[in-house]
């Protein structure tokens, strides 16, 4: 293993609490080794892994989704640029779709706030005569359905 870090040093380097690191370990996002005394020893590359976890969580990814992505990285060595690039390609497509959805939501929300009616069943701009209800439950236009 690369130069090993204690859980305290890893916490200091990432800004995470020791209990958060243990939580991520329980979920398989990091896999420390153990020294002769049974204490956890983390690879320096775990700093990057945990930093990635924090960023991905801020973007709304679940622990399971993050774990699936991290599973694409090699075990037993620090991921190199090529490894990170390969993993990031899938995220790029997903993030582009999320960005487009968020921009659409922002633009529609601005319109609704600008109108002031805040009534989806009577809205003459986005949902005249409650047409959206005919398409099913939920925020139909934000889920991809388009108004006539």
């Amino acid at each position: 293993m690369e130069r090993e870090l204690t859980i305290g040093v890893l916490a200091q380097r990432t800004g995470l609490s020791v209990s958060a690191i243990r939580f991520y370990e329980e979920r398989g996002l990091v896999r420390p080794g153990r020294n002769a005394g049974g204490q956890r020893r983390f690879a320096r590359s775990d700093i990057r892994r945990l930093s990635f976890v924090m960023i991905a969580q801020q973007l709304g990814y679940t622990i399971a989704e993050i774990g699936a992505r991290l599973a694409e990285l090699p075990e037993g060595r620090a991921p190199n640029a090529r490894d990170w690039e390969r993993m990031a390609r899938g995220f790029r497509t997903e993030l582009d779709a999320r960005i487009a959805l968020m921009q659409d939501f922002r633009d529609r929300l601005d319109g609704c706030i600008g109108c002031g009616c805040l009534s989806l069943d009577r809205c003459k701009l986005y949902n005249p005569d409650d047409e959206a209800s005919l398409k099913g439950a939920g925020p139909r236009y934000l889920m991809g359905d388009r108004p006539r």
Side-chain angles (χ1 to χ4, degrees), residues 65-77:
E65 291 168 326
I66 296 166
R69 293 295 182 183
L70 286 175
E72 298 172 20
L73 295 175
E75 286 291 325
R77 70 166 173 82

Side-chain angles (χ1 to χ4, degrees), residues 3 9 20 23 33 45 55-56 72 74 82-83 88 107 118-119 141:
R3 186 171 149 240
V9 170
F23 172 82
S45 60
I55 293 166
E72 298 172 20
R82 210 170 326 120
D83 297 325
D107 294 345
L118 300 177
S119 175
Y141 299 152

Side-chain angles (χ1 to χ4, degrees), residues 104-115 118 126 142:
D104 187 42
F105 177 68
R106 179 204 58 213
D107 294 345
R108 290 176 185 271
L109 188 60
D110 287 349
C112 192
I113 290 171
C115 164
L118 300 177
Y126 289 113
L142 293 176

